[in-house]
């Protein structure tokens, strides 16, 4: 199922077969139809006319992404404005390249969003666009963008936001580590310095709103020496600040659409009081202090994932983040509560149109509302179908990510069958008896049979009994268990 053009050097054939089977199981496309590839190549060779885009190439934009990323959706420029700031956030203008009834557009509707895996990415758009012509690359070529301009006051509050079509020029493609190094140097760029200032202010605003930052460790697959390894990703301050700019834009877009009476929001219902009460009981059972006067968002934010019992509580918090969806509306503000509980505000997916279908339609809606023109019919006509497409493909993306992680875990553990490892139990399903445990040494999260609720938060010794590289299955048994407090 993996395209013959995708190479995974050094990874065993069994893992490649496993990726094939996973893609087949999830119904993922193996490659783009020929007419889609031909159209993308034609657009790359003969770009559309961007005469209607305002020239903003004088602004020193940068992109901040993982080092290997080529599908660059966002470029950033920040400048001082009195005692406040102007944050320019340029988003790749996919609609300037993709006609609504084109083969590329039709294929994007089938895919919904990019599915990620090292060496086996299933992109939303053909790479000729998503990783070249439409990407905001730092290659000296101006690119079309939807340019958000946010006026931010000294407290970090957004006081005004506008959107326009513009030509922008990315001066530097930077990684998170690059920006972190700049900030430690004697001569960092102005945008890097101001990103730290604005990012910290926006984090404070998130706390003030009651936003929830679930500090759950992410497993990350790292290609290395022709194979894969796993690590728990440590989020750098720069990543958090950069994410706050995207979040700020998503909030501004949502408010613009609610005020304008048309758009698509990303929603998450608030946690039920009974679920919060259950979480409080879980924390108490694990001897994790939760003062009565400490609000749920503040408690979650303070949890330390390096401490086993607190990590177990963080895992329990995920149950309170269920029910995310999309809400489309027209001819007036939505009748139901449009809040995103984790953001503690209305919110919209806005800043990743190269990788997520809905963002293109949100951007076009906001552009129309910002400039005072009617939202195009091709945009509003899509409102009925987009929530379902995004919900379904979002579930598929999660399944693909989890399946690829399973394959990576199997690959890492294959040479270690029969060995015993120290682990921490972080969750237990009382009905199935299966527990989730974490082996920090190898950034592994796996399941094991025969655990009970009393095991949560405890250290265990687990034996690796078997590995199936094709299925991505690993099997463990409990060697011994002891309460952490007794260690």
């Amino acid at each position: 199922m993996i395209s013959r053009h995708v190479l995974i050097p050094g990874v065993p054939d069994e893992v490649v077969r496993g990726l094939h089977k996973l893609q087949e199981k999830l119904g993922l496309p193996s490659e783009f139809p020929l007419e889609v590839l031909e159209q993308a190549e034609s657009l790359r060779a003969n770009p559309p006319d961007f005469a209607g885009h305002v020239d903003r190439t004088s602004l020193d934009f940068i992109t901040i992404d993982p080092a290997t990323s080529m599908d660059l959706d966002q470029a950033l420029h920040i400048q001082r404005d009195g005692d406040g700031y102007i944050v320019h956030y340029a988003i790749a203008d996919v609609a300037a390249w993709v006609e609504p009834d084109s083969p590329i557009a039709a294929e994007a509707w089938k895919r919904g969003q990019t599915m990620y895996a090292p060496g086996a990415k299933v992109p939303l758009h053909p790479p000729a666009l998503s990783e070249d012509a439409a990407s905001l690359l730092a290659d000296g070529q101006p690119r079309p963008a939807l340019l958000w301009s946010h006026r931010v006051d000294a407290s970090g509050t957004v006081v005004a936001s506008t959107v326009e079509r513009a030509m922008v020029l990315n001066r530097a493609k930077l990684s998170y580590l690059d920006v972190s190094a700049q900030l430690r140097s004697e001569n960092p760029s102005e945008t890097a310095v101001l990103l730290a200032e604005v990012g910290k202010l926006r984090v404070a605003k998130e706390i003030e709103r009651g936003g929830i930052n679930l500090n759950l460790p992410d497993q990350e697959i790292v290609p290395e020496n022709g194979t894969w390894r796993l690590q728990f990703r440590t989020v750098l301050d720069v990543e958090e600040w950069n994410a706050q700019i995207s979040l700020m834009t998503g909030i501004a877009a949502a408010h613009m659409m609610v005020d304008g009476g048309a758009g698509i929001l990303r929603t998450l219902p608030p946690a039920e009081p009974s679920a919060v009460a259950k979480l409080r009981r879980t924390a108490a059972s694990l001897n994790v202090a939760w003062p009565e006067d400490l609000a749920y968002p503040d408690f979650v934010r303070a949890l330390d994932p390096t401490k086993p019992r607190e990590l177990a509580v963080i895992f329990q918090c995920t149950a309170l983040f269920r029910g995310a969806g999309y809400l489309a509306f027209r001819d007036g503000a939505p009748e139901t509560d449009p809040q995103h509980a984790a953001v503690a505000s209305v919110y919209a997916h806005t800043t990743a149109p190269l990788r997520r279908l809905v963002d293109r339609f949100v951007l076009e809606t906001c552009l129309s509302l910002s400039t005072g023109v009617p939202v195009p019919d091709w945009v509003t006509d899509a409102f009925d179908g987009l929530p379902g497409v995004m919900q379904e493909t979002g579930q598929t993306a999660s399944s693909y990510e989890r399946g690829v992680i399973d394959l990576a875990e199997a690959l890492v553990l294959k040479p270690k069958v029969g060995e015993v490892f120290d682990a921490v139990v972080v969750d237990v399903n009382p009905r199935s008896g299966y527990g989730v445990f974490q082996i920090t040494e190898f950034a592994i999260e796996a399941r094991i049979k025969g655990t009970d609720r009393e095991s949560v938060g405890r250290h265990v010794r687990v034996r690796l009994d078997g590995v199936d590289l094709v299925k991505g299955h690993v099997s463990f048994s409990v060697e011994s268990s002891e309460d952490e407090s007794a260690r």
Side-chain angles (χ1 to χ4, degrees):
M1 198 70 176
I2 300 172
S3 168
R4 62 182 180 276
H5 301 297
V6 176
L7 301 177
I8 314 177
V11 175
D13 290 343
E14 295 154 291
V15 175
V16 176
R17 291 202 305 273
L19 282 166
H20 277 255
K21 288 181 177 295
L22 177 62
Q23 291 186 335
E24 289 171 355
K25 176 183 177 182
L26 296 175
L28 301 183
S30 58
E31 55 189 17
F32 285 95
L34 181 59
E35 64 176 344
V36 173
L37 294 174
E38 289 178 342
Q39 185 185 23
E41 291 294 345
S42 177
L43 286 168
R44 177 163 60 178
N46 303 286
D49 182 1
F50 304 128
H53 289 63
V54 179
D55 185 355
R56 301 296 184 205
T57 55
S58 62
L59 298 174
D60 291 333
F61 281 98
I62 62 172
T63 53
I64 309 173
D65 293 275
T68 58
S69 295
M70 294 297 291
D71 46 355
L72 309 183
D73 288 287
Q74 314 104 11
L76 176 67
H77 173 263
I78 308 178
Q79 64 191 57
R80 296 196 185 278
D81 180 39
D83 60 354
Y85 311 85
I86 296 178
V87 178
H88 296 293
Y89 206 42
I91 311 300
D93 189 357
V94 175
W97 295 92
V98 178
E99 292 290 336
D101 296 325
S102 66
I104 292 176
E107 184 66 16
W109 271 90
K110 296 177 184 177
R111 294 174 178 238
Q113 53 196 289
T114 296
M115 313 284 170
Y116 284 96
K121 182 170 72 174
V122 182
L124 175 63
H125 299 103
L129 285 184
S130 62
E131 298 185 1
D132 191 347
S135 178
L136 302 181
L137 299 173
D139 59 1
Q141 298 297 317
R143 294 296 205 282
L146 275 299
L147 177 58
W148 287 84
S149 297
H150 304 291
R151 287 187 59 237
V152 180
D153 69 16
S155 74
T157 300
V158 177
V159 296
S161 296
T162 60
V163 193
E164 63 181 354
R165 280 204 148 89
M167 297 301 292
V168 301
L169 186 61
N170 181 8
R171 296 299 204 279
K173 177 181 181 292
L174 303 176
S175 70
Y176 301 119
L177 290 174
D178 290 334
V179 179
S180 294
Q182 275 196 18
L183 291 172
R184 293 192 302 271
S185 71
E186 295 182 357
N187 189 32
S189 69
E190 182 182 32
T191 291
V193 171
L194 297 183
L195 172 62
E197 292 184 21
V198 175
K200 291 174 184 177
L201 290 172
R202 292 302 300 178
V203 169
K205 285 294 177 184
E206 180 178 74
I207 295 171
E208 182 182 305
R209 289 195 313 270
I212 302 169
N213 185 3
L214 191 60
N215 193 19
L216 189 66
D218 284 335
Q219 287 173 283
E220 182 178 51
I221 301 173
V222 181
E224 186 178 81
N225 299 325
T227 186
W228 290 344
R229 68 177 174 86
L230 281 163
Q231 65 182 25
F232 285 122
R233 188 171 63 88
T234 300
V235 177
L236 302 173
D237 287 341
V238 168
E239 290 183 75
E240 173 67 11
W241 301 331
N242 196 45
Q244 286 293 333
I245 304 301
S246 180
L247 192 65
M248 178 173 73
T249 304
I251 292 172
H255 280 295
M256 192 177 288
M257 291 187 293
V258 170
D259 292 344
I264 303 176
L265 303 178
R266 182 62 165 157
T267 61
L268 178 69
E272 293 289 340
S274 60
V276 177
K278 180 179 179 181
L279 181 66
R280 188 176 283 277
R281 291 194 298 271
T282 299
S285 70
L286 291 168
N287 293 320
V288 175
W290 185 349
E292 286 294 333
D293 60 349
L294 186 64
Y296 158 60
D298 297 325
F299 169 71
V300 174
R301 186 179 292 275
L303 292 171
D304 183 352
T306 66
K307 297 178 180 179
R309 294 183 182 278
E310 295 188 27
L311 175 63
V313 176
I314 295 175
F315 266 83
Q316 300 306 309
C317 291
T318 60
L320 281 68
F321 282 72
R322 292 171 183 161
Y326 292 87
L327 175 64
F329 56 99
R330 58 169 70 85
D331 302 323
E335 296 179 0
T336 57
D337 183 6
Q339 292 281 312
H340 190 292
V343 178
S345 171
V346 290
Y347 174 67
H349 277 161
T350 317
T351 61
L354 291 173
R355 295 170 280 168
R356 205 166 43 211
L357 178 64
V358 69
D359 298 48
R360 170 158 46 108
F361 295 85
V362 169
L363 285 163
E364 290 301 309
T365 301
C366 291
L367 176 67
S368 297
L369 295 172
S370 180
T371 55
V373 301
V375 181
D377 289 343
W378 68 266
V379 175
T380 55
D381 288 347
F383 284 178
D384 291 336
L386 271 171
V389 169
M390 297 309 301
Q391 196 73 12
E392 181 179 349
T393 58
Q395 292 168 355
T396 301
S398 296
S399 296
Y400 189 49
E401 180 181 2
R402 182 61 252 174
V404 173
I405 289 287
D406 288 344
L407 289 166
E409 289 178 338
L411 180 59
V412 169
L413 291 172
K414 180 67 174 178
K416 302 181 183 300
V417 173
E419 294 186 22
V420 177
F421 307 95
D422 289 315
V424 175
V425 179
V426 294
D427 194 16
V428 170
N429 185 322
R431 286 175 292 186
S432 69
Y434 274 97
V436 177
F437 64 90
Q438 187 179 96
I439 303 174
T440 304
E441 179 184 358
F442 299 106
I444 300 292
E445 290 172 6
R447 298 200 313 158
I448 194 167
K449 184 73 172 176
T451 49
D452 52 38
R453 293 298 302 173
E454 287 70 31
S455 301
V456 174
R458 292 183 180 178
H459 286 269
V460 294
R461 299 269 290 167
V462 295
R463 179 184 298 277
L464 177 61
D465 297 322
V467 170
D468 187 322
L469 286 183
V470 176
K471 294 182 179 179
H473 287 173
V474 294
S475 57
F476 287 89
S477 57
V478 176
E479 183 79 3
S480 62
S481 175
E482 62 179 330
D483 193 319
E484 183 199 14
S485 63
R487 290 172 65 88

